[in-house]
Amino acid sequence: MMDLRPVSPPTRARSGLLYQGNDWNFEILRDCYDAVAEIAEGELGLTTYPNRLEIITSEQMLDVYTAHGMPLGYRHWSLGKRFIAHENAYRRGMMGLAYEVVINSDPCISYLMEENSATMQTLVIAHAAFGHNHFFHNNRLFREWTNASEILDYLEFARGYIHQCEERHGIAAVERILDAAHALQGQGVHRHSGSRRLDLRGEQRRAQARRLHEEATFNDLWRTVPVDEEQQPDTTLNDPLRHRLGLPEENLLYFLEKHAPLLAPWEREVIRIVRMIAQYFYPQPQLKMMNEGCATWVHDYIMRRLHENGRIDDAAYLEAIHSTSNVITQPDFDAGGGPSFNPYALGFAMMGDIARICTSPTEEDRAWFPDIAGNNRPVETLKHAWSEFRDESFILQYLSPAVMRRFRMFRLHDDTSAPYLLVDAIHDDAGYRDIRRTVAQNHDPANMNAEIEIISANMHTDRLLTMEHRTTRGHQFHPDDARKTLQHMADLWGYGVQLIERDTEDGAVLATHEATGRGGPGR
């Protein structure tokens, strides 16, 4: 536990400085928060959830890492494994810890490391409590898919429910369900309908009556009744059973929760808990670059204004500049940068470039961005972008030739049949547009997850569940990975499961994987 007794405050000058030196206490922290809020709300017009700041130690920060940044959650062996890995890497100096972690909740919780200097505490308040918070509060994807006011209550319910299940049914039985659900959680979200926004309380009430009815009317003896081959059920799109089951269905956990024949009520609830938490995290990878770019631009603006207003001295401002520079560094490809861009670097560069285009456009800017060039409304333009776009669409709309030149972007075409790489997009007008489309495609959520759907469930005979993976030649699943993951699906379904990998271009079957049910989890 952190010692909450106040330390002696550092000496303050009469010039209006918030602090001098590295030391801070809670009085200084409050004054820094007020000064940051004055700029964030008064000058930038940011709107946020109410803020809650929590000061934690490095050990507590490792705990937060382990729980994916959440303040509480249910127990699972994978969390302990992740904690040990992070702790060993941190102790050996192989990784550092974030200055802060922020949670998309209402109130918005920001964790600040107690080891931070006064300048870093001020910077992360600006970055997390106002930059990230404004983005969480206003971005359309977050508003449509998550309910920030309910997530903390739901996590508390989930932890209590999982604990009760462990006491009643045994840790091994609960872990078997959690292991299978965790393996499938990447395919356990709704992706295409904003109307599926999480209603965490209402979902429990609505689902209970459906589950009780289905469990009361199900009889496993029906699968032993022989069926004439000529009377096999229709498997076309006109099959009434397909409509009743909602097929095709992309959300594997949702289908299992509602229709798996052998699951007990508590097992369905555990699957739903994993599914709901996965849905909460669903928007975040689609907004990583914008979210970090927004928060970095906001804290950079606020720290500069604090320095201009005489609230922090030159030493503090240089520390802030140094920290920001480290965050937005884009390593070269051969220096560990790899094929991806640092989301802080690209996001911050694009935010600053939009502000420049709005205030000091070039002729090139006027040709590429006629709607915003020279409008002298940089903050309003940025706030509109933060609200209405995700990474992919933001790049398609706002990535400029100036930023492409700064990052030295070009495009390579790798034809495996040729002994060379072809540079097929360079710095001309057509090349800029090709590069922009390629960078946007790398942030397209459709390219982040495999395209898998449940296409049929033979409820009349052997209850074989069939899934389809639409892909291209050379991009199939590794057979071992497919087999292990498919077995988790079969364990939850309780009967046989098959996965067909089909070429999206010609419809040819590329591979088929199968797994046999084990009579239901825990049986």
Side-chain angles (χ1 to χ4, degrees):
M1 295 293 293
M2 185 184 64
D3 187 358
L4 298 178
R5 293 172 296 176
V7 298
S8 301
T11 304
R12 298 198 205 187
R14 296 178 178 271
S15 60
L17 292 176
L18 294 167
Y19 57 87
Q20 284 184 302
N22 293 325
D23 295 334
W24 59 270
N25 58 33
F26 287 101
E27 180 184 358
I28 290 176
L29 203 63
R30 182 191 60 202
D31 292 343
C32 291
Y33 178 89
D34 291 341
V36 169
E38 183 178 354
I39 297 172
E41 296 170 355
E43 295 186 20
L44 296 177
L46 303 185
T47 57
T48 63
Y49 295 116
N51 274 306
R52 191 170 88 194
L53 307 181
E54 297 191 11
I55 312 299
I56 62 176
T57 64
S58 58
E59 289 79 8
Q60 290 170 316
M61 183 63 81
L62 285 169
D63 282 333
V64 172
Y65 275 25
T66 298
H68 302 288
M70 305 309 292
L72 69 167
Y74 55 80
R75 298 184 304 178
H76 189 255
W77 62 266
S78 62
L79 302 181
K81 178 181 177 181
R82 188 178 299 115
F83 177 85
I84 292 173
H86 286 158
E87 183 182 40
N88 287 339
Y90 175 65
R91 301 301 179 199
R92 294 173 183 174
M94 300 171 62
M95 65 170 281
L97 295 179
Y99 295 116
E100 47 76 30
V101 170
V102 60
I103 299 172
N104 176 22
S105 60
D106 183 6
C108 182
I109 302 175
S110 299
Y111 294 115
L112 282 65
M113 288 266 286
E114 70 173 4
E115 290 89 343
N116 291 346
S117 66
T119 296
M120 290 310 305
Q121 300 293 40
T122 307
L123 184 149
V124 298
I125 288 173
H127 182 94
F130 289 94
H132 281 308
N133 193 349
H134 173 86
F135 195 86
F136 290 145
H137 187 263
N138 291 276
N139 182 266
R140 182 178 296 275
L141 207 59
F142 279 121
R143 288 188 285 115
E144 289 185 351
W145 284 100
T146 62
N147 192 331
S149 63
E150 294 184 359
I151 185 60
L152 296 180
D153 290 338
Y154 191 77
L155 288 173
E156 185 174 2
F157 156 76
R159 181 175 63 177
Y161 188 87
I162 297 295
H163 180 68
Q164 292 175 9
C165 290
E166 290 175 339
E167 290 184 335
R168 294 176 183 175
H169 308 287
I171 293 177
V174 175
E175 279 194 352
R176 177 176 292 185
I177 299 295
L178 285 175
D179 289 349
H182 287 173
L184 300 168
Q185 65 183 347
Q187 300 294 328
V189 296
H190 295 298
R191 296 191 177 94
H192 302 297
S193 174
S195 63
R196 304 253 188 159
R197 175 180 175 176
L198 289 180
D199 180 5
L200 298 173
R201 298 188 183 96
E203 174 67 17
Q204 284 184 262
R205 295 191 298 268
R206 289 192 298 271
Q208 184 177 8
R210 291 197 301 269
R211 288 203 317 275
L212 293 176
H213 172 73
E214 291 169 0
E215 289 156 9
T217 56
F218 167 71
N219 190 331
D220 191 43
L221 291 176
W222 284 109
R223 71 182 178 89
T224 65
V225 178
V227 178
D228 189 340
E229 292 297 329
E230 297 180 356
Q231 298 178 355
Q232 285 288 340
D234 183 10
T235 58
T236 67
L237 295 178
N238 296 321
D239 181 10
L241 179 61
R242 286 172 57 88
H243 292 289
R244 184 171 68 82
L245 296 177
L247 299 179
E249 174 59 65
E250 65 173 356
N251 190 329
L252 306 188
L253 291 182
Y254 178 84
F255 183 87
L256 292 170
E257 174 200 333
K258 305 306 178 188
H259 303 295
L262 300 180
L263 290 179
W266 71 268
E267 293 170 325
R268 299 181 193 275
E269 188 68 46
V270 170
I271 291 175
R272 178 160 63 252
I273 285 172
V274 175
R275 179 171 68 84
M276 290 296 188
I277 295 176
Q279 190 72 64
Y280 165 84
F281 284 107
Y282 168 64
Q284 298 198 19
Q286 302 179 55
L287 297 162
K288 176 70 173 177
M289 186 268 293
M290 285 191 69
N291 198 354
E292 298 300 351
C294 166
T296 306
W297 188 90
V298 166
H299 91 235
D300 181 71
Y301 178 93
I302 290 175
M303 297 304 289
R304 174 166 51 83
R305 293 293 294 135
L306 288 175
H307 182 248
E308 292 172 351
N309 294 338
R311 308 309 307 276
I312 60 175
D313 57 22
D314 293 345
Y317 188 47
L318 286 173
E319 181 183 353
I321 293 174
H322 176 72
S323 175
T324 303
S325 299
N326 288 338
V327 166
I328 64 173
T329 296
Q330 174 61 51
D332 292 335
F333 181 87
D334 56 357
S340 301
F341 291 104
N342 175 359
Y344 293 85
L346 184 58
F348 179 73
M350 290 185 65
M351 304 305 171
D353 192 58
I354 290 172
R356 178 194 62 79
I357 292 171
C358 292
T359 54
S360 304
T362 64
E363 289 304 314
E364 180 184 57
D365 297 327
R366 294 185 186 278
W368 276 70
F369 307 101
D371 293 337
I372 66 171
N375 67 4
N376 292 314
R377 301 176 61 206
V379 175
E380 291 79 2
T381 303
L382 284 170
K383 287 164 66 176
H384 170 74
W386 296 338
S387 174
E388 301 299 329
F389 293 87
R390 65 183 183 187
D391 288 354
E392 175 209 10
S393 56
F394 178 73
I395 290 170
L396 280 174
Q397 182 72 20
Y398 292 108
L399 182 59
S400 71
V403 172
M404 289 184 242
R405 288 192 294 269
R406 188 185 315 167
F407 280 78
R408 302 176 183 177
M409 297 182 187
F410 60 93
R411 190 175 72 175
L412 287 174
H413 176 68
D414 185 6
D415 184 350
T416 56
S417 64
Y420 54 81
L421 296 174
L422 174 64
V423 179
D424 68 345
I426 57 174
H427 291 174
D428 55 23
D429 190 81
Y432 285 134
R433 298 186 188 280
D434 288 340
I435 292 170
R436 183 163 69 173
R437 281 192 294 269
T438 301
V439 175
Q441 288 173 2
N442 291 334
H443 293 79
D444 187 347
N447 297 326
M448 297 179 186
N449 299 285
E451 190 176 357
I452 299 175
E453 285 184 337
I454 299 173
I455 58 174
S456 71
N458 190 349
M459 305 298 285
H460 297 273
T461 54
D462 58 2
R463 298 189 181 276
L464 177 66
L465 187 70
T466 303
M467 299 182 292
E468 186 177 81
H469 173 218
R470 287 183 292 278
T471 184
T472 56
R473 298 179 189 276
H475 292 84
Q476 299 101 290
F477 292 131
H478 189 281
D480 289 342
D481 294 338
R483 176 180 53 81
K484 292 177 182 178
T485 306
L486 203 62
Q487 189 60 60
H488 286 299
M489 189 76 181
D491 289 345
L492 295 178
W493 177 244
Y495 298 94
V497 175
Q498 69 174 358
L499 173 66
I500 300 171
E501 297 197 79
R502 192 179 298 278
D503 194 311
T504 55
E505 296 182 359
D506 57 18
V509 175
L510 304 176
T512 301
H513 312 277
E514 296 182 350
T516 303
R518 299 174 178 174
R523 292 170 175 79

